Amino acid sequence: MKAVVYDRHGGPGVLRVEDVPMPSPAAGQVRVRIVATSLNLSDWECLRGSPAYARIGGLRAPARRTLGSDIAGVVDEVGEGVTRFRPGDEVYGDNLALKGGFAEYAVAPEHALAHKPAELTFAEASTIPQAGAIALQGTKGAAVDRRILINGAGGGSGSFAIQLAKRLGAHVTGVDNAAKLDFMRSVGADDVIDYQRHDFTRTSRPYDVILDLVAHRSVFAYRRSLARGGTYRCVGGSVPTLLRLLTGGWLIGRLTGRTIGVLAVKEGPAHFEPLADLCATGQLTIHIDSTFTLDEVPAALARVGAGQALGKVVITLA
């Protein structure tokens, strides 16, 4: 089968399409014929090996030669003990532990997958697992008369988070680069900020909830932008920032009547299917920026890594 592989960390240039052996499912696993795989920032980080946490399990060489965790496709074979799926079932899920989505076939644990809603295409379903779980958990606390800010709101998780927060009645501010301001407005943001021109942490009206998808500022900056009783949670960012939030965020938040920390995202169908249901019934909109073929994975990753994607980028296979 064909797969996009890499043997050392670096830019898109280290990727290549190669014929590799067909994987076989072990006990509790299924083999999926891939129809679509969406890209996440985690794919770019693992490719580059940066931040440092992206090298966990593979300090000098990649832990998995083929990236791609948000997969959608058709079950091709099941391993011993699998009871929820059988060959021919249409499935989707976040295969974060094993990855392998940038290939014609991938093996995934049974517990990582869910049946694909019939109302969604494979490409649409592939956009949901990781981004949807982050958006659902990151917007907890959004409500009528509450102000929520989403930093990095122009990407996949952000576009879902804006819609979820608006659905709950919150006033939403989206932060991203200048090229994404109109997109964030179209998704539902009440206010938008170009992070290159304005520092969202210096505001006269602090926020009740902040979901930070690209944390790089100090704990004190986040504290001043957060209303008393408010909650700040980040998902990803520089290692120094994450360490400061893990060590000092709790203390500073407790001393000032705020909750400041890192969002430990829960994985699995129970944490992304509720968002898929909203998409399937038309209550949320899936925004696909662009689609690429397997041969074009390097270009697709470059687009995500450069912060150019409006919503999700998807790899599709015939």
Side-chain angles (χ1 to χ4, degrees), residues 174-187 189 191-195 197 310:
V175 182
D176 217 307
N177 63 55
K180 296 187 178 185
L181 301 185
D182 288 341
F183 172 70
M184 292 188 292
R185 290 191 187 96
S186 72
V187 175
D191 297 316
V192 295
I193 296 174
D194 174 2
Y195 75 87
R197 297 187 60 186
L310 304 177

Side-chain angles (χ1 to χ4, degrees), residues 160-182:
F160 283 136
I162 289 173
Q163 294 180 76
L164 286 170
K166 285 301 299 179
R167 189 170 179 272
L168 295 170
H171 181 282
V172 181
T173 298
V175 182
D176 217 307
N177 63 55
K180 296 187 178 185
L181 301 185
D182 288 341

Side-chain angles (χ1 to χ4, degrees), residues 6 18 35 51 54 58 88 103 114 118 139 168 183 193 241 256 276 282 295-296 304:
Y6 72 124
E18 192 173 276
V35 179
T139 54
L168 295 170
F183 172 70
I193 296 174
T241 300
T256 60
D295 292 337
E296 297 171 326
V304 171

Side-chain angles (χ1 to χ4, degrees), residues 4-17:
V4 178
V5 302
Y6 72 124
D7 298 308
R8 60 184 176 87
H9 298 293
V14 305
L15 296 165
R16 65 186 185 278
V17 178

Side-chain angles (χ1 to χ4, degrees), residues 185-214:
R185 290 191 187 96
S186 72
V187 175
D190 299 289
D191 297 316
V192 295
I193 296 174
D194 174 2
Y195 75 87
Q196 294 174 316
R197 297 187 60 186
H198 301 287
D199 180 355
F200 75 82
T201 70
R202 297 187 179 278
T203 176
S204 60
R205 296 187 63 193
Y207 300 94
D208 300 296
V209 178
I210 296 177
L211 171 59
D212 196 345
L213 302 170
V214 282

Side-chain angles (χ1 to χ4, degrees), residues 1-5 23 32-39 43 64-73 93-108 126 292-294 297 314-317:
M1 71 169 192
K2 293 188 180 299
V4 178
V5 302
V32 179
R33 177 176 61 81
I34 302 298
V35 179
T37 301
S38 77
L39 277 65
D43 294 309
R64 303 287 176 184
R65 294 183 72 216
T66 298
L67 295 168
S69 58
D70 274 3
I71 61 175
D94 184 1
N95 196 24
L96 188 60
L98 300 181
K99 300 184 176 65
F102 299 152
E104 293 178 316
Y105 292 84
V107 165
S126 76
F292 293 80
T293 65
L294 200 61
V297 164
V314 177
I315 304 300
T316 57
L317 287 81

Side-chain angles (χ1 to χ4, degrees), residues 101-184:
F102 299 152
E104 293 178 316
Y105 292 84
V107 165
E110 177 184 23
H111 62 75
L113 302 174
H115 290 279
K116 182 184 75 66
E119 298 86 352
L120 301 179
T121 67
F122 286 102
E124 289 171 334
S126 76
T127 69
I128 291 172
Q130 193 174 126
I134 291 171
L136 281 167
Q137 295 167 57
T139 54
K140 184 179 179 180
V144 176
D145 296 330
R146 302 206 82 194
R147 289 168 49 80
I148 178 171
L149 179 138
I150 303 162
N151 187 30
S157 298
S159 61
F160 283 136
I162 289 173
Q163 294 180 76
L164 286 170
K166 285 301 299 179
R167 189 170 179 272
L168 295 170
H171 181 282
V172 181
T173 298
V175 182
D176 217 307
N177 63 55
K180 296 187 178 185
L181 301 185
D182 288 341
F183 172 70
M184 292 188 292

